Amino acid sequence: MRLLILGTLGGQLGAATKIAMEKGAKVAHANSVEQGLSELRQGHGADLVMCDVALDIGLLVRSLATERICTPVVACGVGTDARRAVDAIRAGAKEYLPLPPDPELIAAVLAAVADESHQLIFEDQATASVIAMADQIAPSEASILITGESGTGKEILARYVHRRSARADKPFISVNCAAIPENLLESELFGHEKGAFTGAIARRLGKFEEANGGTLLLDEISEMDARCRQSSCAPFRSARSTAWAGASPSRSISASSRPRTAISRRP
């Protein structure tokens, strides 16, 4: 879980950072919206941006959308000022967290974003067989396809494989292909150069480069456009011999709630 905090959080920056780190988050900090955007463009990705309401949250959300950076924003402010909370939500923030920070509340937000479990608890033999297979595959360099209905824990299993692999100390990057508009997905995966489209004011690294020797999960890959899906598979075909755009070769894990036969065609 990677957290980017923008601003001073009304003097509560240290407390919020400490709580987030205690919950397992990797925390980065920027003083302004502009510095935060620069961090994201350079490949210092974040699963969540926590932004001080004293900053221009509307500008942040609009800039993320314009530059095709799909990262949720949570607003933070001292006290329970209802007007500020409403303004932040209207500006595009997903949630509003009152400060001083409440450990349980921050933990809940991080858990909702990361949805990560470090320990698998199961009883049935079918799950035991799946875990045994995951243990066998994890040390290899093989690409993996995980299928199963929504809510069955495909991302949890993907994270388990990552933690059991030789790439455990490298990034785990998850992309929900179904949640990102089709016209933004290619930029999200491959990044873009300055001037590539209206609003591309700077070069931005894609998820392939962010993974950088770690694991890239393409969740709900069956919802991806066939052309984009073919492009996304290309870097992995030559992963052993070629690094993508200067980054170290990464491992691919794909997940789908559709049967394997449905992945080769659009719904």
Side-chain angles (χ1 to χ4, degrees):
M1 172 65 187
R2 301 165 302 162
L3 174 65
L4 175 61
I5 298 178
L6 304 185
T8 63
L9 303 190
Q12 299 293 327
L13 174 63
T17 300
K18 182 179 178 181
I19 292 171
M21 293 180 69
E22 287 175 348
K23 300 302 179 181
K26 296 180 180 178
V27 181
H29 176 251
N31 290 317
S32 65
V33 169
E34 291 73 18
Q35 288 182 9
L37 290 169
S38 179
E39 287 284 311
L40 294 171
R41 293 182 194 120
Q42 294 173 27
H44 305 150
D47 300 302
L48 176 69
V49 174
M50 199 176 278
C51 185
D52 193 328
V53 290
L55 300 180
D56 192 337
I57 292 179
L59 173 62
L60 172 63
V61 172
R62 290 192 301 273
S63 297
L64 291 174
T66 300
E67 299 189 42
R68 304 180 181 181
I69 301 174
C70 297
T71 302
V73 175
V74 170
C76 301
V78 176
T80 55
D81 188 328
R83 171 52 56 189
R84 278 196 158 185
V86 170
D87 289 345
I89 298 298
R90 285 178 175 172
K94 299 295 184 184
E95 297 286 349
Y96 178 86
L97 295 181
L99 300 173
D102 179 274
E104 292 186 2
L105 191 55
I106 288 184
V109 171
L110 296 178
V113 174
D115 192 21
E116 181 176 1
S117 173
H118 290 283
Q119 183 178 5
L120 297 182
I121 301 174
F122 56 89
E123 294 181 356
D124 62 293
Q125 187 57 45
T127 303
S129 299
V130 172
I131 299 303
M133 184 181 297
D135 288 334
Q136 286 183 317
I137 296 173
S140 74
E141 293 297 312
S143 295
I144 300 170
L145 172 64
I146 302 172
T147 60
E149 295 180 5
S150 295
T152 54
K154 296 184 291 296
E155 182 170 348
I156 291 175
L157 184 60
R159 290 180 182 274
Y160 177 83
V161 170
H162 174 72
R163 292 194 300 271
R164 303 280 290 185
S165 73
R167 304 175 184 272
D169 61 337
K170 300 294 194 301
F172 177 93
I173 305 298
S174 176
V175 180
N176 187 340
C177 302
I180 301 174
E182 191 173 298
N183 62 321
L184 303 184
L185 187 56
E186 192 166 344
S187 179
E188 184 76 6
L189 292 175
F190 302 106
H192 56 251
E193 296 295 329
K194 180 179 180 180
F197 53 84
T198 302
I201 63 173
R203 181 174 184 267
R204 185 219 168 173
L205 301 184
K207 296 301 184 183
F208 279 102
E209 289 178 86
E210 278 190 41
N212 194 20
T215 300
L216 177 63
L217 171 64
L218 300 176
D219 198 8
E220 296 299 348
I221 192 172
S222 57
E223 304 303 315
M224 187 188 294
D225 175 76
R227 180 186 61 83
C228 189
R229 187 161 65 235
Q230 185 175 13
S231 298
S232 69
C233 292
F236 296 112
R237 296 194 187 105
S238 56
R240 289 181 176 82
S241 58
T242 306
W244 178 256
S248 300
S250 303
R251 181 185 207 165
S252 165
I253 299 181
S254 302
S256 174
S257 57
R258 295 177 179 271
R260 184 164 58 89
T261 54
I263 299 177
S264 60
R265 61 180 183 272
R266 285 299 299 270

